Amino acid sequence: MKEIISDKNKIFRHALELKKKKYREKWREYLIEGPNLIEEALKEGIEIKALMVRHEAGPESLNGIGTAFSEVPGDRIYMLPPSLFSKLSDTVTPQGVMGIIGMKDTDPYALDLNGGNIIVLDRLQDPGNIGTILRTADAAGFSLAVFMKGTSDPYSPKAVRSAAGSVLRMPVAFFETNEELSAFLKARDKKLIVSFMTAEKAYYEEDLSRDCAIVVGNEGNGVSKELIDMADVKICIPMAGETESLNASMAAGILMYERIRSKK
C-alpha cells in the first residue's frame, strides 16, 4: 500500500483527469466510487487498476471491501488524506474508496443477440437518466444499450453512480449515424420501436418481448424525426392525467418491462 500526500502525484493527477470525458475517452478508463461498486467490479472479474482509500476510511471501517484488499495488488492501493480524496469524489458524502477501471470494448456484431432486445438512447443528456436506463435495461434482461451520437457519456461519475453495478455488466455500443443503426438492426433482424405521444397504437398492443430495438429520445425534444420516420413500429404510452410527458427514464422503464410482462 502506498500513500499519496501531494496533488502533484501522478496517480492522483490521472484520477482527477478521469472526471472529464475527453480523458476518459483518451485513456479508456473511468472512476467507480463506493464499496458496492468495487465489490461488483471484482465479482465481474474486472481489473482494478488503482484503488484509492481515504485515510480515515481504512480497511477496518469499510464493510464488505475486504475482498479488494486481498485481491488488488498492494502496489495499486493508495491511501489519500480527506482533502485530496474529496477532490476526486463526486458525492457530497464520499464513501471513502474509489477505483480506476477500464472500459469494455463491445463489438455489437459479435454479441449473441438472438431474440434479445436493445435499448437505443437518442441524444439523452441527463447522466442520471442514462444511468437509470442502463440499470433498468439490465434488470429487464436487455442484451445491448446503443448510444447514438449526441448522447451523454455513460461513464461520467453521475451516470456510473445511477447505473450502480449495471454499468459493469451491460454491453454498450456507440453509433455515429441513424443509417449505421438501421443497417445493424436489419442485419440482426430487430424491429425499430419508437414511442411518441401522437402514435395511435399503445405500447401494450405490440409484442415487445423479443427482437426489439426500443428508442428513448432526448429529454426536451423526444426522438428525432428521422428515427420516427425509420421506425418499423410506432407506439405511445397512454396517459389519463393532465401531464404532457413522462421522464425519459420512467418512459424507458415502462417500455422495457413490457418485455417481461408480455412473456408471461
Side-chain angles (χ1 to χ4, degrees):
M1 186 180 297
K2 301 179 180 180
E3 188 169 8
I4 295 176
I5 59 174
S6 169
D7 62 5
K8 302 296 191 298
N9 178 274
K10 183 178 179 180
I11 295 296
F12 175 81
R13 300 303 301 176
H14 178 58
L16 199 61
E17 283 185 341
L18 295 179
K19 297 184 73 173
K20 297 180 179 179
K21 181 180 179 180
K22 67 177 181 178
Y23 290 110
R24 291 193 293 270
E25 291 179 342
K26 176 181 178 179
W27 300 111
R28 301 290 299 161
E29 295 175 344
Y30 63 104
L31 296 170
I32 55 174
E33 182 172 358
N36 291 339
L37 274 179
I38 296 295
E39 288 294 301
E40 285 284 342
L42 291 171
K43 288 178 184 177
E44 294 294 321
I46 297 172
E47 179 187 16
I48 307 291
K49 298 187 176 183
L51 184 70
M52 292 160 288
V53 183
R54 190 179 58 200
H55 264 306
E56 60 203 39
E60 71 286 347
S61 63
L62 292 169
N63 291 332
I65 201 67
T67 305
F69 289 96
S70 62
E71 294 190 14
V72 178
D75 61 357
R76 296 186 191 174
I77 301 176
Y78 302 87
M79 299 294 289
L80 282 71
S83 60
L84 292 183
F85 192 91
S86 64
K87 291 182 179 180
L88 298 179
S89 176
D90 192 56
T91 60
V92 176
T93 306
Q95 298 183 60
V97 62
M98 66 174 54
I100 296 175
I101 64 174
M103 298 179 187
K104 290 190 294 187
D105 292 317
T106 299
D107 176 3
Y109 285 94
L111 295 175
D112 179 8
L113 298 178
N114 184 32
N117 278 5
I118 298 168
I119 188 72
V120 179
L121 286 74
D122 177 32
R123 300 167 297 117
L124 271 77
Q125 295 301 301
D126 184 82
N129 281 338
I130 289 169
T132 300
I133 289 170
L134 288 178
R135 187 172 185 175
T136 307
D138 185 17
F142 272 52
S143 300
L144 175 67
V146 169
F147 279 61
M148 300 304 296
K149 184 177 182 179
T151 303
S152 290
D153 185 9
Y155 300 111
S156 70
K158 185 175 181 181
V160 169
R161 190 167 66 251
S162 298
S166 297
V167 73
L168 306 171
R169 294 185 292 271
M170 194 71 196
V172 173
F174 300 87
F175 287 171
E176 288 289 312
T177 67
N178 294 330
E179 291 73 22
E180 184 183 3
L181 172 67
S182 178
F184 172 73
L185 297 180
K186 288 178 181 177
R188 305 311 295 267
D189 293 321
K190 306 296 179 187
K191 296 182 295 184
L192 183 64
I193 312 290
V194 173
S195 173
F196 58 99
M197 288 179 57
T198 57
E200 295 181 359
K201 180 185 288 189
Y203 72 92
Y204 47 77
E205 296 176 312
E206 180 69 25
D207 181 9
L208 303 182
S209 63
R210 57 181 288 119
D211 288 321
C212 293
I214 298 173
V215 183
V216 183
N218 173 269
E219 291 89 347
N221 300 312
V223 179
S224 69
K225 183 180 184 303
E226 186 175 7
L227 281 178
I228 291 175
D229 291 341
M230 287 169 50
D232 298 302
V233 178
K234 301 173 184 179
I235 55 176
C236 68
I237 300 175
M239 291 182 284
E242 297 298 321
T243 187
E244 294 184 353
S245 63
L246 293 173
N247 169 272
S249 61
M250 177 64 73
I254 291 171
L255 297 176
M256 286 190 283
Y257 259 82
E258 180 65 10
R259 172 185 178 272
I260 294 176
R261 189 202 68 80
S262 59
K263 288 182 73 172
K264 291 183 179 180

